Amino acid sequence: MTSADSSPLPARDSGDLATRMSRLLRLSVGGAAGGSILLYALLVLLRIGYPFELETFEGLTADHVSRILNGLPIYVAPSVDFVSNIYPPLFYYLAAGPAWVWGVNLWVLRLVSVFASAGCLGILYKYVHRETASRYYGLLSAGFYAATYGICVGWFDVARVDSLYLFFLLAGVYGLRFQKTPRGGILTGVLLALAAFTKQTAFSAILPVLAVVTLARPRQTLWCLGTFVLLLGSGSALLDHLHEGGWYRTYVLAHLTQHALRPGQGL
């Protein structure tokens, strides 16, 4: 066999095949990510107008919003007519805005979660895009989140606090990563406080993130932590004052300390 017979063409063919396969897999994964987002949007359209509860707490959420619109406190002594939820009140107050316009309908309350979940998708895309300079990887991150809809028992678009809480938390983490000025630290503190006033589990995510950022940018963390503590303390004191008998503190804090932790289960 001559040297002319030992052609490198097979190697090039193998390389071309690997390149085509890589491109095909890349397109397939990107298509799956985009498809997950589109599927979630379709499910929202199919579910948002359902006139009955999609999840146990939706009716209770509507009761809280109705009380706000009627000028009644939402943390009160339990009775046959009403028992307060254990979550902080930010979701209920935000939902009261559109409910004042369109009425206390379940689709109106779900709309808050829909916009919040869309915000989560946008933040995840932007975060990964800035980290990797790749729109493709940004799409994958958002699509992966959308694909967890079934694992999360469809809570993205129901009248619950979860999507709104996660939106504020992700926005705060994004701010900690990319907003490196004192003003950015203050804005981040506001966002993290809003997350805590939406759901208490924000603390379990906020504290380790702040600890890590403190090592890298202690000055920014000082502005963030100061704003967070100030808003959390003053806001909690105000809410406790507005709900006579300390019922805000009782529901949001005291009740949660009276049972043991159960690994693998959240609030």
Side-chain angles (χ1 to χ4, degrees):
M1 182 179 293
T2 64
S3 59
D5 295 328
S6 56
S7 171
L9 286 177
R12 286 202 298 270
D13 288 343
S14 299
D16 291 343
L17 178 60
T19 299
R20 289 196 296 269
M21 290 297 296
S22 176
R23 289 175 179 172
L24 178 61
L25 288 173
R26 182 181 176 91
L27 288 173
S28 299
V29 174
S36 296
I37 297 172
L38 291 176
L39 179 58
Y40 172 55
L42 176 62
L43 289 171
V44 167
L45 293 176
L46 292 174
R47 283 161 50 101
I48 194 169
Y50 186 67
F52 306 108
E53 294 181 7
L54 290 169
E55 196 275 337
T56 306
F57 278 101
E58 283 199 317
L60 185 56
T61 299
D63 290 340
H64 282 67
V65 174
S66 179
R67 289 181 67 88
I68 290 172
L69 293 178
N70 289 316
L72 299 173
I74 58 175
Y75 300 104
V76 293
S79 67
V80 175
D81 297 322
F82 180 74
V83 178
S84 305
N85 204 341
I86 62 171
Y87 295 125
L90 185 56
F91 181 94
Y92 312 128
Y93 284 111
L94 285 181
W100 181 76
V101 178
W102 293 300
V104 186
N105 301 302
L106 290 176
W107 73 266
V108 175
L109 309 183
R110 291 170 188 153
L111 200 61
V112 177
S113 292
V114 170
F115 279 111
S117 61
C120 291
L121 292 173
I123 293 171
L124 289 169
Y125 171 84
K126 187 64 176 177
Y127 192 110
V128 175
H129 179 216
R130 290 192 66 170
E131 289 283 9
T132 64
S134 169
R135 292 186 176 87
Y136 176 77
Y137 292 126
L139 173 65
L140 291 191
S141 65
F144 181 82
Y145 175 74
T148 65
Y149 180 81
I151 299 174
C152 297
V153 203
W155 282 6
F156 288 8
D157 58 341
V158 296
R160 284 183 58 100
V161 303
D162 301 88
S163 286
L164 184 65
Y165 142 74
L166 190 57
F167 168 73
F168 286 130
L169 180 62
L170 288 174
V173 172
Y174 182 91
L176 282 173
R177 176 64 182 90
F178 298 109
Q179 301 297 322
K180 301 179 181 180
T181 63
R183 184 170 61 181
I186 293 172
L187 175 60
T188 301
V190 171
L191 290 169
L192 294 179
L194 292 176
F197 277 120
T198 306
K199 193 174 183 181
Q200 301 94 322
T201 46
F203 290 102
S204 63
I206 291 171
L207 295 180
V209 170
L210 284 176
V212 172
V213 176
T214 299
L215 298 176
R217 297 193 297 274
R219 184 179 178 184
Q220 182 198 13
T221 306
L222 182 63
W223 285 102
C224 174
L225 186 60
T227 303
F228 175 73
V229 171
L230 177 63
L231 290 177
L232 195 65
S234 59
S236 297
L238 176 61
L239 286 167
D240 217 32
H241 173 73
L242 293 176
H243 297 87
E244 296 180 0
W247 286 108
Y248 167 78
R249 183 175 63 252
T250 299
Y251 280 102
V252 174
L253 297 176
H255 282 342
L256 300 180
T257 64
Q258 295 176 3
H259 62 80
L261 294 176
R262 301 181 63 182
Q265 295 191 11
L267 292 177

